[in-house]
């Protein structure tokens, strides 16, 4: 049943108050070291999501990678999400981190508006972010400030628009249309 996979009140805990004690030791450590880096913590279905202001994403990632006890040495994924053109803020960038030594994971989320879809690059923290950020730029139009080579990676250079935005036409624009 699909309902079994839905998070409910008993499965989800959201902490909006930066002074509140967080149930996740990782979120608590980040909150102690960088109070401005933790805007919200969501615990759902055994996973921790930390909402981070874009200005703090590099500091948060550096801390989580280099701090003893955290050691998130693997950026498993970095992906964009379009909430839809009617939503404000419209975009999310999700960073899925894994520690290969401690065997724990955490998700960082940066929320962006359509008018200002900029976020600093984390390719200086994890080299693999280079291609993940290029893919998110290509498909969603999120601009990673300071990226060493921000250009399309999947679609042709002359492609118009960003194919995974929810307002992108299903059949594309001319001349790439299938009609």
């Amino acid at each position: 049943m699909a309902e079994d996979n839905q998070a409910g009140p008993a499965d989800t805990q959201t902490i909006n108050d930066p002074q509140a004690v967080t149930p996740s030791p990782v979120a608590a450590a980040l909150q102690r070291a960088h109070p401005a880096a933790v805007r919200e913590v969501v615990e759902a279905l055994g996973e921790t999501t930390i909402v981070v202001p874009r200005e703090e994403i590099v500091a948060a990632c550096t801390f989580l990678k280099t701090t003893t006890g955290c050691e998130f040495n693997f950026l498993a994924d970095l992906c964009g999400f379009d909430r839809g053109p009617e939503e404000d803020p419209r975009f999310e960038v999700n960073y899925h981190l894994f520690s290969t030594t401690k065997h724990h994971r955490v998700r960082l989320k940066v929320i962006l508006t359509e008018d200002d879809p900029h976020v600093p690059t984390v390719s200086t923290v994890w080299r693999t972010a280079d291609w993940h950020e290029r893919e998110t730029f290509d498909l969603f139009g999120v601009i990673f400030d300071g990226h060493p080579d921000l250009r399309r990676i999947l679609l042709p250079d002359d492609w118009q628009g960003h194919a995974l935005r929810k307002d992108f036409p299903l059949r594309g624009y001319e001349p790439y249309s299938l009609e």
Side-chain angles (χ1 to χ4, degrees):
M1 208 181 238
E3 294 171 3
D4 292 339
N5 292 327
Q6 300 299 316
D11 300 321
T12 304
Q13 182 176 7
T14 302
I15 298 168
N16 293 311
D17 179 6
Q19 303 305 318
V21 177
T22 61
S24 163
V26 172
L30 179 60
Q31 196 169 37
R32 280 191 305 275
H34 297 277
V38 179
R39 180 170 289 160
E40 179 182 3
V41 178
V42 179
E43 296 276 344
L45 303 171
E47 295 183 1
T48 301
T49 301
I50 305 169
V51 180
V52 178
R54 71 171 139 205
E55 302 82 16
E56 299 292 330
I57 191 63
V58 175
C61 289
T62 302
F63 173 82
L64 292 172
K65 180 180 180 184
T66 60
T67 300
T68 303
C70 293
E71 301 163 34
F72 287 97
N73 55 356
F74 180 52
L75 174 65
D77 189 28
L78 183 159
C79 59
F81 177 72
D82 183 359
R83 297 174 171 190
E86 66 284 349
E87 296 293 326
D88 189 35
R90 179 173 178 176
F91 299 108
E92 297 178 4
V93 179
N94 293 287
Y95 303 77
H96 300 263
L97 312 182
F98 182 71
S99 171
T100 60
T101 58
K102 301 294 181 184
H103 302 105
H104 54 224
R105 52 183 84 240
V106 70
R107 176 186 306 111
L108 303 181
K109 180 184 293 190
V110 174
I111 300 172
L112 305 169
T113 64
E114 184 174 11
D115 295 334
D116 190 15
H118 290 258
V119 64
T121 184
V122 296
S123 63
T124 55
V125 181
W126 296 284
R127 286 180 45 200
T128 188
D130 184 323
W131 285 36
H132 291 292
E133 290 175 349
R134 284 181 59 194
E135 179 182 21
T136 302
F137 164 74
D138 193 4
L139 299 176
F140 291 96
V142 173
I143 299 163
F144 292 89
D145 296 327
H147 190 281
D149 188 22
L150 192 61
R151 59 187 166 97
R152 292 196 180 273
I153 192 169
L154 298 173
L155 299 172
D157 290 336
D158 61 344
W159 185 268
Q160 297 293 312
H162 303 282
L164 289 185
R165 285 191 175 191
K166 290 189 176 180
D167 56 358
F168 189 79
L170 293 178
R171 292 192 159 259
Y173 297 115
E174 293 294 336
Y176 296 103
S177 179
L178 298 174
E179 295 182 320

